[in-house]
Amino acid sequence: MDIKEFRERMKKKEYVYLGSDMFEMFNYLSKEALKLTMELNNKYHTPEEIIEIFTKLTGRKTDKTFRIFPPFYTDCGKNIKTGKNVFINACCRFQDQGGITIGDNVLIGHNTTIATLNHDLNPEHRANLTPAPVKIGNSVWIGADCTILPGVTIHDGAVIGAGSVVTKDIPKNSIAVGNPAKVIKSININCQKV
């Protein structure tokens, strides 16, 4: 299986059985991701070197405006897609097998976890997995220590308060906080100072 087929099957939210070819692909990709994140996390790199490592990790061209403060952790890497002017702060963890898409001008705070896999609820099949992508729109700000669960879309301009657990979609230009995160306010973008 190549990366293109892997991404296509994940896009279809294909159920992953323990011991299947997809499960084995997860294992293979996790070893490669471990090697690249160890390289990223364990010595100083220039911004250009970081972009080069992240490009290898994701298998996609990373824009020159991308910034990340290591350490960064992922158990896959090949299903992360980032836009322009993305900043990922230290100690973030991405479980991206199901797909993580990050738009332009996104800020992701310290210790944020983004998950894209759920285990089967039946104890006899608990090791089996269901992927569900996470989509983060343009100009989103995710505060520190947030958790974004599988299948969630955070729409353009939204703000996620620190420590929030996002369990469902967040509307455009809104502020959501808490566990589970709830919308507490809409952002009036016409009144914002520049």
Side-chain angles (χ1 to χ4, degrees):
M1 174 184 319
D2 63 14
I3 296 303
K4 183 177 179 182
E5 181 184 351
F6 162 74
R7 289 178 180 150
E8 284 300 314
R9 289 172 65 180
M10 289 296 93
K11 191 184 292 183
K12 293 175 185 174
K13 301 180 185 179
E14 182 178 305
Y15 188 79
V16 179
Y17 293 90
L18 177 66
S20 67
D21 65 335
M22 184 59 75
F23 198 89
E24 293 308 313
M25 184 65 161
F26 283 7
N27 287 331
Y28 169 78
L29 292 174
S30 68
K31 291 173 188 168
E32 186 175 330
L34 181 59
K35 179 180 175 185
L36 289 166
T37 54
M38 290 291 283
E39 170 66 21
L40 176 68
N41 295 336
N42 289 303
K43 69 178 186 177
Y44 173 78
H45 296 282
T46 66
E48 295 79 15
E49 290 170 335
I50 288 174
I51 289 170
E52 185 180 324
I53 293 168
F54 206 79
T55 295
K56 287 179 187 174
L57 180 65
T58 63
R60 292 182 160 116
K61 182 166 173 35
T62 303
D63 191 79
K64 66 181 181 180
T65 59
F66 175 83
R67 293 183 306 135
I68 191 169
F69 285 175
F72 172 79
Y73 306 97
T74 180
D75 54 2
C76 180
K78 293 296 189 260
N79 218 357
I80 300 170
K81 186 176 180 182
T82 57
K84 296 178 181 176
N85 297 310
V86 170
F87 173 64
I88 301 171
N89 219 323
C91 300
C92 289
R93 293 167 300 281
F94 288 11
Q95 179 200 53
D96 63 282
Q97 288 89 337
I100 296 173
T101 302
I102 301 170
D104 297 336
N105 305 308
V106 172
L107 305 171
I108 300 178
H110 294 87
N111 296 314
T112 292
T113 297
I114 302 176
T116 66
L117 295 174
N118 277 315
H119 288 277
D120 197 302
L121 294 177
N122 181 337
E124 293 179 22
H125 304 286
R126 188 66 41 91
N128 297 341
L129 302 160
T130 303
V134 169
K135 296 177 185 169
I136 299 171
N138 297 323
S139 302
V140 169
W141 174 20
I142 299 172
D145 295 306
C146 290
T147 300
I148 315 299
L149 295 184
V152 165
T153 296
I154 301 173
H155 291 275
D156 294 353
V159 176
I160 309 300
S164 296
V165 177
V166 184
T167 62
K168 61 183 180 180
D169 292 358
I170 303 299
K172 182 177 181 178
N173 296 326
S174 60
I175 299 172
V177 299
N179 181 3
K182 293 184 182 354
V183 174
I184 60 165
K185 184 177 182 179
S186 291
I187 300 169
N188 183 349
I189 59 172
N190 296 326
C191 296
Q192 298 296 310
K193 294 181 181 180
V194 179

